[in-house]
PDB file of all heavy atoms in Angstrom:
ATOM      1  N   ASN B  77      11.511  11.976 -13.908  1.00  0.00           N
ATOM      2  CA  ASN B  77      12.604  12.472 -14.740  1.00  0.00           C
ATOM      3  C   ASN B  77      13.788  12.950 -13.881  1.00  0.00           C
ATOM      4  O   ASN B  77      14.699  13.592 -14.360  1.00  0.00           O
ATOM      5  CB  ASN B  77      12.081  13.599 -15.632  1.00  0.00           C
ATOM      6  CG  ASN B  77      13.062  13.975 -16.732  1.00  0.00           C
ATOM      7  OD1 ASN B  77      14.050  13.280 -16.962  1.00  0.00           O
ATOM      8  ND2 ASN B  77      12.809  15.085 -17.388  1.00  0.00           N
ATOM      9  N   THR B  78      13.749  12.632 -12.564  1.00  0.00           N
ATOM     10  CA  THR B  78      14.848  13.053 -11.696  1.00  0.00           C
ATOM     11  C   THR B  78      15.648  11.835 -11.255  1.00  0.00           C
ATOM     12  O   THR B  78      15.082  10.760 -11.029  1.00  0.00           O
ATOM     13  CB  THR B  78      14.321  13.755 -10.431  1.00  0.00           C
ATOM     14  OG1 THR B  78      13.493  12.833  -9.710  1.00  0.00           O
ATOM     15  CG2 THR B  78      13.518  14.999 -10.771  1.00  0.00           C
ATOM     16  N   TRP B  79      16.967  12.009 -11.157  1.00  0.00           N
ATOM     17  CA  TRP B  79      17.831  10.929 -10.662  1.00  0.00           C
ATOM     18  C   TRP B  79      17.442  10.543  -9.249  1.00  0.00           C
ATOM     19  O   TRP B  79      17.454   9.374  -8.893  1.00  0.00           O
ATOM     20  CB  TRP B  79      19.300  11.358 -10.692  1.00  0.00           C
ATOM     21  CG  TRP B  79      19.847  11.431 -12.084  1.00  0.00           C
ATOM     22  CD1 TRP B  79      20.167  12.556 -12.775  1.00  0.00           C
ATOM     23  CD2 TRP B  79      20.112  10.334 -12.957  1.00  0.00           C
ATOM     24  NE1 TRP B  79      20.616  12.237 -14.028  1.00  0.00           N
ATOM     25  CE2 TRP B  79      20.600  10.873 -14.174  1.00  0.00           C
ATOM     26  CE3 TRP B  79      19.999   8.947 -12.842  1.00  0.00           C
ATOM     27  CZ2 TRP B  79      20.959  10.086 -15.258  1.00  0.00           C
ATOM     28  CZ3 TRP B  79      20.362   8.157 -13.926  1.00  0.00           C
ATOM     29  CH2 TRP B  79      20.834   8.721 -15.108  1.00  0.00           C
ATOM     30  N   LEU B  80      17.090  11.565  -8.445  1.00  0.00           N
ATOM     31  CA  LEU B  80      16.793  11.303  -7.035  1.00  0.00           C
ATOM     32  C   LEU B  80      15.671  10.296  -6.860  1.00  0.00           C
ATOM     33  O   LEU B  80      15.724   9.427  -5.987  1.00  0.00           O
ATOM     34  CB  LEU B  80      16.402  12.609  -6.326  1.00  0.00           C
ATOM     35  CG  LEU B  80      17.499  13.341  -5.564  1.00  0.00           C
ATOM     36  CD1 LEU B  80      16.911  14.509  -4.813  1.00  0.00           C
ATOM     37  CD2 LEU B  80      18.215  12.391  -4.600  1.00  0.00           C
ATOM     38  N   PHE B  81      14.638  10.401  -7.702  1.00  0.00           N
ATOM     39  CA  PHE B  81      13.513   9.476  -7.568  1.00  0.00           C
ATOM     40  C   PHE B  81      13.983   8.037  -7.749  1.00  0.00           C
ATOM     41  O   PHE B  81      13.632   7.153  -6.963  1.00  0.00           O
ATOM     42  CB  PHE B  81      12.421   9.796  -8.593  1.00  0.00           C
ATOM     43  CG  PHE B  81      11.331   8.762  -8.616  1.00  0.00           C
ATOM     44  CD1 PHE B  81      10.314   8.807  -7.665  1.00  0.00           C
ATOM     45  CD2 PHE B  81      11.336   7.727  -9.550  1.00  0.00           C
ATOM     46  CE1 PHE B  81       9.320   7.838  -7.666  1.00  0.00           C
ATOM     47  CE2 PHE B  81      10.343   6.763  -9.544  1.00  0.00           C
ATOM     48  CZ  PHE B  81       9.328   6.815  -8.610  1.00  0.00           C
ATOM     49  N   TRP B  82      14.800   7.801  -8.768  1.00  0.00           N
ATOM     50  CA  TRP B  82      15.241   6.430  -9.051  1.00  0.00           C
ATOM     51  C   TRP B  82      16.251   5.938  -8.027  1.00  0.00           C
ATOM     52  O   TRP B  82      16.268   4.747  -7.698  1.00  0.00           O
ATOM     53  CB  TRP B  82      15.798   6.343 -10.483  1.00  0.00           C
ATOM     54  CG  TRP B  82      14.709   6.633 -11.469  1.00  0.00           C
ATOM     55  CD1 TRP B  82      14.533   7.765 -12.195  1.00  0.00           C
ATOM     56  CD2 TRP B  82      13.587   5.789 -11.771  1.00  0.00           C
ATOM     57  NE1 TRP B  82      13.383   7.684 -12.938  1.00  0.00           N
ATOM     58  CE2 TRP B  82      12.781   6.477 -12.711  1.00  0.00           C
ATOM     59  CE3 TRP B  82      13.189   4.516 -11.341  1.00  0.00           C
ATOM     60  CZ2 TRP B  82      11.594   5.948 -13.221  1.00  0.00           C
ATOM     61  CZ3 TRP B  82      12.010   3.981 -11.861  1.00  0.00           C
ATOM     62  CH2 TRP B  82      11.227   4.691 -12.789  1.00  0.00           C
ATOM     63  N   ILE B  83      17.087   6.866  -7.508  1.00  0.00           N
ATOM     64  CA  ILE B  83      18.013   6.476  -6.428  1.00  0.00           C
ATOM     65  C   ILE B  83      17.201   6.074  -5.192  1.00  0.00           C
ATOM     66  O   ILE B  83      17.459   5.050  -4.559  1.00  0.00           O
ATOM     67  CB  ILE B  83      18.982   7.636  -6.076  1.00  0.00           C
ATOM     68  CG1 ILE B  83      19.913   7.918  -7.262  1.00  0.00           C
ATOM     69  CG2 ILE B  83      19.803   7.308  -4.825  1.00  0.00           C
ATOM     70  CD1 ILE B  83      20.680   9.225  -7.140  1.00  0.00           C
ATOM     71  N   ALA B  84      16.184   6.881  -4.877  1.00  0.00           N
ATOM     72  CA  ALA B  84      15.341   6.598  -3.710  1.00  0.00           C
ATOM     73  C   ALA B  84      14.624   5.265  -3.882  1.00  0.00           C
ATOM     74  O   ALA B  84      14.592   4.432  -2.967  1.00  0.00           O
ATOM     75  CB  ALA B  84      14.326   7.713  -3.498  1.00  0.00           C
ATOM     76  N   ALA B  85      14.090   5.031  -5.085  1.00  0.00           N
ATOM     77  CA  ALA B  85      13.359   3.787  -5.340  1.00  0.00           C
ATOM     78  C   ALA B  85      14.288   2.580  -5.213  1.00  0.00           C
ATOM     79  O   ALA B  85      13.946   1.579  -4.575  1.00  0.00           O
ATOM     80  CB  ALA B  85      12.719   3.829  -6.722  1.00  0.00           C
ATOM     81  N   ALA B  86      15.505   2.695  -5.796  1.00  0.00           N
ATOM     82  CA  ALA B  86      16.458   1.577  -5.738  1.00  0.00           C
ATOM     83  C   ALA B  86      16.893   1.315  -4.293  1.00  0.00           C
ATOM     84  O   ALA B  86      17.014   0.160  -3.871  1.00  0.00           O
ATOM     85  CB  ALA B  86      17.675   1.884  -6.604  1.00  0.00           C
ATOM     86  N   THR B  87      17.108   2.407  -3.529  1.00  0.00           N
ATOM     87  CA  THR B  87      17.497   2.264  -2.121  1.00  0.00           C
ATOM     88  C   THR B  87      16.409   1.540  -1.342  1.00  0.00           C
ATOM     89  O   THR B  87      16.666   0.593  -0.592  1.00  0.00           O
ATOM     90  CB  THR B  87      17.747   3.648  -1.493  1.00  0.00           C
ATOM     91  OG1 THR B  87      18.715   4.333  -2.270  1.00  0.00           O
ATOM     92  CG2 THR B  87      18.240   3.528  -0.057  1.00  0.00           C
TER      93      THR B  87
END
Side-chain angles (χ1 to χ4, degrees):
Chain B
N77 192 11
T78 60
W79 288 109
L80 264 186
F81 172 81
W82 296 105
I83 294 167
T87 304

